[in-house]
Amino acid sequence: MTEPTSSGSTLAATLPNKYLTFFLGEEEYGVDILAVQEIRGLSATTRLPGAPDAVLGVINLRGVIVPVLDLRVRLGLTPAVATPTSVIIVLGIAGRMIGLQVDGVSDVLDVDAGSVQAAPDLGNGSADLLGMARRGESLVVLLDAARVVSVATPNAS
């Protein structure tokens, strides 16, 4: 059974069914696979003055300037430390490309929307969450990609 969302619609009706899963520390997260443009190895970023703390900088991706977020900082975790498994997931959101630095990519998870549980309401940070999906004995935190990357697009209308 699905839980109603604050807008009155059901959670299942609004969820994609495939997620790219990745790690931040020991926790597994997922974003809608349809938002993923590519997965890149880490590359140097150009820092921008006055950028929010979560913005690591920008990269030039085939002629397109792409902001890169430290997803750990964006979600209120400790800042990322680059490791051999760290990557940048490039998302296409509302006609813009935004990169997310994560600790490592896992795989593609097929999710039956009916099995997704609503995320607990923990205040402002929970607005970035679509819900929680069970994978075996663990949970995968499903992120709302558009909300997560909103820090990188302050002029979006």
Side-chain angles (χ1 to χ4, degrees):
M1 179 173 234
T2 59
E3 299 292 323
T5 62
S6 59
S7 65
S9 62
T10 63
L11 182 63
T14 61
L15 292 177
N17 62 355
K18 290 189 183 287
Y19 293 84
L20 176 69
T21 60
F22 54 88
F23 288 97
L24 297 175
E26 299 296 316
E27 301 301 322
E28 193 170 15
Y29 294 81
V31 292
D32 180 1
I33 192 74
L34 296 177
V36 176
Q37 299 296 305
E38 67 181 87
I39 301 168
R40 301 178 48 87
L42 287 186
S43 55
T45 59
T46 301
R47 188 86 175 129
L48 298 174
D53 290 341
V55 178
L56 293 169
V58 296
I59 58 173
N60 183 340
L61 182 61
R62 294 181 296 281
V64 177
I65 302 302
V66 177
V68 177
L69 302 180
D70 180 340
L71 189 54
R72 289 168 137 291
V73 171
R74 175 62 181 89
L75 297 178
L77 305 172
T78 59
V81 175
T83 68
T85 61
S86 297
V87 296
I88 297 172
I89 300 171
V90 179
L91 302 178
I93 305 289
R96 295 180 177 206
M97 294 200 325
I98 294 105
L100 303 176
Q101 181 176 328
V102 301
D103 297 342
V105 171
S106 181
D107 60 11
V108 175
L109 176 65
D110 288 317
V111 174
D112 173 7
S115 68
V116 174
Q117 296 180 3
D121 184 8
L122 302 173
N124 292 343
S126 63
D128 297 334
L129 309 181
L130 290 175
M132 312 287 288
R134 187 166 295 285
R135 176 184 280 211
E137 294 299 314
S138 62
L139 292 173
V140 177
V141 179
L142 304 177
L143 299 175
D144 182 334
R147 285 174 130 1
V148 167
V149 302
S150 65
V151 69
T153 57
N155 297 324
S157 2

